[in-house]
């Protein structure tokens, strides 16, 4: 039958006009449009109980007016943006700065430090990483002989100015220690998951403890 | 029985007459108060209309955005309500350029000629028992005469700017507007047959049943023609942006462009007012809500339908537009007039139709309208636009002769 196509078109636009869930809405990043089941799951309640306890919100969710926060799931091996750095482990050897293909790590040390763990360690005055130019290859992490530098786990680090993207030593010290398990098999063997918010202390991240004198003598005796 | 909501010429006249009488102008108080009332009322009416047009642009953009799953203007003010004022300020502050080789007098006059008839129509619209500037006993004839000035104005704009796109757009506009005058006049004629009067107020009062119910076919013909007269989508070949730049207003800028757009956006308001008077019973309604409010509510419904159609349908080709005017619409208009004339000739007693007669007429007309529209769709739907077969490229066989 001719002529019904144009009337059908009118019906489609009217649906868009009337039904709120068909409207174009902008949700800011962590928010997500939630259906009732998702909403109940995020609140940790059985959907049926949720329907009776909060029917208004349930109906709102059915129309499509409720949002919940939802972040993207990611692997613990994810090479995140903010680096995790343990100043107790760092000796100031600057291997990371040497291995960085872009040369964006800047380390300034002085020799007045004391021996903290293995070998001679220096006091570190400047530790700058220019995240704006970093390509997250992870060579600095691979190069670190004392497991002091780890990839981080976050990715929501956008800034308004390039100068804010430079991570300095204070930021690195005060940041939460949530290292990624990338190139750190000792962490992945422990089933460490930084996304769930687990933090690791500086004495737990190393691939081995400091060898005792007995161990060392045994090792030397073998040679 | 004047409602306090609307301004009225006679009350203004009496007010000024009293004032001039007490001031001591006994001899000339009559013509002085007449002039003063006219000037002050037209000032109020024009400003009201322009302000409502500004708000209407916001309403139109927001509504169409909602239809088309967009957002619409939402930056200036709450819900983007200040957007029309920002637009106007921007347009006024822009440089007003006139092309070097343009016909300057025609170019300058065109926006004014386009705006004036649209403003004049509002004087005869009976929002209440009387209109803004007194009742006119040939109201609808006045409207038909005034609106045909539009085609001249559009042609002036295109011709004066000496631009190929503009002249193309205005040529199309002249052809289209002149063609659609005829179905529009046919739709109006069928209303006149039933009401038996040219005065807008009498037409509105004679609708014991709204004429949209009595003759849906006439309403369809009139609305289609009115939409073409407003030159809005799907009939906006005059200013088809994707083909002609911007059509007749390509060369306009600054305040002239603002006036052109004011006239263009004022047209739906005025048209919806005319449709309300002719087909939706004017200010009829039940009692607690006053008549002018009913009138404005009905206007909003008509505007909403216009926006609905505008946001849905694509633009027609120019040959399709002209074909639609002359083949189906003209035919349907003629059929509608014959139907109404025949029915009213049979049913009319002493030159008047009762409510029962109108009910019988609406029953017959609804059936005939649906049948007529389906027949029309089927006759014109089967016709396909036959394109010639594409000529195969000579490069298509390249290299095959070598093998």
């Amino acid at each position: 039958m001719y002529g019904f196509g144009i009337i059908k078109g009118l019906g489609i636009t009217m649906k868009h006009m009337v039904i709120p869930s068909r409207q174009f809405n902008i949700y800011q990043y962590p928010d997500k449009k939630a259906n009732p089941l998702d909403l109940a799951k995020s609140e940790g309640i059985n959907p049926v109980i949720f329907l009776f306890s909060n029917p208004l919100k349930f109906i709102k969710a059915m129309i499509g007016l409720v949002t919940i926060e939802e972040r993207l799931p990611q692997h613990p091996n994810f090479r995140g943006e903010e680096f995790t750095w343990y100043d107790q482990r760092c000796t100031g050897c600057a291997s990371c700065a040497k291995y960085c293909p872009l040369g964006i790590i800047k380390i300034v040390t002085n020799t007045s430090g004391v021996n903290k763990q293995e070998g001679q360690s220096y006091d570190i005055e400047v530790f700058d990483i220019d995240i704006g130019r970093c390509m997250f290859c992870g060579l600095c992490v691979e190069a670190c002989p004392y497991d002091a530098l780890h990839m981080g786990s976050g990715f929501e680090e956008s800034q308004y100015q390039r100068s804010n993207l430079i991570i300095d030593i204070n930021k690195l010290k005060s940041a939460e220690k949530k290292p990624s398990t990338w190139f750190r098999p000792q962490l992945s063997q422990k089933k460490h998951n930084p996304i769930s918010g687990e933090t690791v202390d500086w004495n737990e991240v190393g691939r081995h403890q400091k060898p005792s004198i007995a161990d060392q003598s045994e090792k030397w005796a073998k040679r | 029985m004047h409602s306090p909501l609307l301004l009225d010429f006679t009350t203004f006249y009496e007010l000024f007459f009293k004032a001039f009488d007490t001031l001591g102008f006994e001899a000339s108080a009559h013509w002085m108060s007449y002039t003063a009332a006219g000037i002050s009322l037209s000032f109020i009416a024009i400003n009201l209309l322009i302000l409502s047009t500004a708000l209407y642009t916001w309403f139109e953009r927001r509504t169409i955005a909602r239809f088309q799953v967009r957002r619409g203007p939402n930056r200036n003010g709450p819900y983007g309500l200040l957007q029309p004022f920002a637009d106007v300020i921007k347009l006024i502050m822009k440089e007003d350029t006139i092309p070097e080789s343009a016909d300057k007098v025609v170019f300058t006059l065109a926006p004014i000629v386009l705006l004036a008839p649209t403003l004049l129509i509002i004087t005869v619209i009976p929002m209440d028992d009387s209109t803004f500037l007194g009742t006119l006993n040939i109201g609808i004839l006045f409207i038909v005469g005034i609106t045909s000035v539009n085609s001249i104005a559009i042609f002036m704009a295109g011709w004066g700017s000496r631009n190929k796109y503009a002249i193309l757009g205005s040529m199309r506009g002249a052809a289209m507007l002149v063609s659609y005058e005829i179905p529009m006049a046919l739709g109006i004629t069928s209303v006149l047959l039933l009401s038996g009067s040219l005065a807008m107020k009498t037409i509105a009062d004679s609708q014991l049943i709204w004429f949209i119910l009595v003759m849906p076919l006439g309403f369809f013909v009139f609305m289609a023609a009115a939409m073409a007269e407003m030159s809005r989508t799907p009939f906006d070949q005059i200013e088809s942006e994707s083909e002609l730049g911007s059509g007749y207003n390509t060369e306009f800028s600054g305040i002239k462009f603002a006036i052109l757009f004011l006239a263009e956006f004022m047209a739906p308001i005025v048209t919806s007012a005319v449709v309300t008077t002719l087909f939706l019973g004017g200010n009829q309604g039940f009692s607690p809500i006053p008549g002018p409010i009913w009138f404005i509510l009905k206007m909003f419904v008509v505007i909403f339908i216009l926006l609905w159609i505008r946001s849905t349908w694509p633009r027609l080709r120019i040959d399709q537009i002209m074909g639609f005017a002359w083949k189906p619409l003209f035919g349907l208009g003629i059929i509608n007039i014959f139907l109404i004339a025949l029915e009213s000739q049979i049913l009319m007693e002493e030159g008047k139709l009762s409510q029962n007669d109108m009910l019988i007429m609406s029953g017959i007309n609804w059936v005939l309208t649906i049948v007529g529209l389906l027949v029309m769709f089927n006759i014109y739907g089967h016709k396909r636009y036959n394109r010639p077969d594409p000529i195969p490229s000579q490069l298509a066989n390249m290299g095959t002769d070598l093998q």
Side-chain angles (χ1 to χ4, degrees), chain B residues 76-292:
Chain B
N76 299 324
Y79 304 102
L81 258 172
L82 296 180
Q83 183 67 40
F85 304 104
D87 284 344
V88 167
I89 289 168
K90 172 236 176 192
L91 279 174
I92 288 173
M93 282 164 70
K94 262 176 91 171
E95 188 192 355
D96 190 8
T97 55
I98 298 176
E100 202 180 339
S101 53
D103 191 341
K104 291 189 179 53
V105 178
V106 175
F107 188 82
T108 317
L109 269 178
I112 303 164
V113 177
L114 190 62
L115 182 66
T118 329
L119 284 172
L120 276 174
I121 290 173
I122 207 72
T123 57
V124 295
I125 301 294
M127 287 216 180
D128 204 5
D129 292 335
S130 66
T131 61
F132 266 120
L133 294 176
T135 46
L136 193 63
N137 59 352
I138 49 161
I140 191 68
L141 195 65
F142 177 74
I143 287 173
V144 173
I146 279 290
T147 45
S148 28
V149 177
N150 269 2
S151 54
I152 297 172
I154 284 172
F155 199 76
M156 276 167 77
W159 178 263
S161 53
R162 200 159 193 270
N163 178 315
K164 281 168 193 164
Y165 289 129
I167 195 74
L168 259 176
S170 55
M171 288 292 279
R172 285 176 178 185
M176 200 177 98
L177 294 181
V178 168
S179 308
Y180 275 92
E181 291 274 313
I182 294 161
M184 196 168 155
L186 291 177
I188 290 171
T189 314
S190 55
V191 173
L192 298 186
L193 278 176
L194 280 185
S195 66
S197 169
L198 286 167
M200 295 292 268
K201 184 59 194 162
T202 322
I203 292 173
D205 283 342
S206 68
Q207 299 180 27
L208 303 172
I209 296 171
W210 294 357
F211 284 165
I212 183 178
L213 299 174
V214 177
M215 41 179 184
L217 196 58
F219 179 72
F220 172 76
V221 170
F222 183 81
M223 276 293 271
M227 274 167 63
E229 286 284 314
M230 284 186 290
S231 69
R232 289 154 68 82
T233 327
F235 299 103
D236 66 340
Q237 275 291 349
I238 294 178
E239 46 190 288
S240 45
E241 287 90 354
S242 51
E243 301 159 29
L244 298 178
S246 185
Y248 68 93
N249 53 28
T250 308
E251 292 288 350
F252 285 84
S253 68
I255 188 70
K256 294 201 187 80
F257 186 75
I259 293 176
L260 279 180
F261 254 69
L262 188 69
E264 193 171 303
F265 278 104
M266 207 180 278
I269 299 177
V270 169
T271 309
S272 65
V274 173
V275 169
T276 306
T277 317
L278 290 186
F279 289 97
L280 296 179
N283 57 356
Q284 291 176 16
F286 44 83
S287 80
I289 306 169

Side-chain angles (χ1 to χ4, degrees), chain A residues 1-4 6-7 9-11 13-14 16-20 22-26, chain B residues 63 65-71 304 308-309 311-313 374 377-378 380-382 384:
Chain A
M1 202 58 141
Y2 288 97
F4 281 94
I6 49 177
I7 294 164
L10 284 177
T13 45
M14 198 51 163
H16 284 310
M17 167 89 188
V18 171
I19 302 172
R22 290 201 175 212
Q23 276 299 308
F24 173 69
N25 279 313
I26 295 170
Chain B
T63 313
R66 208 179 154 82
F67 268 123
Q68 296 176 343
V69 202
R70 293 185 284 114
R71 301 236 81 177
F304 186 77
W308 185 13
I309 289 169
S311 56
T312 306
W313 292 346
L374 288 182
F377 285 149
N378 273 295
Y380 293 104
H382 279 291
R384 292 271 161 75

Side-chain angles (χ1 to χ4, degrees), chain A residues 127-147:
Chain A
F127 196 118
D128 285 354
I129 305 174
D130 188 358
I131 292 294
R133 290 170 59 201
C134 184
M135 61 181 181
F136 306 102
C137 58
L139 284 179
C140 50
V141 178
E142 287 183 35
C144 186
Y146 302 110
D147 293 352

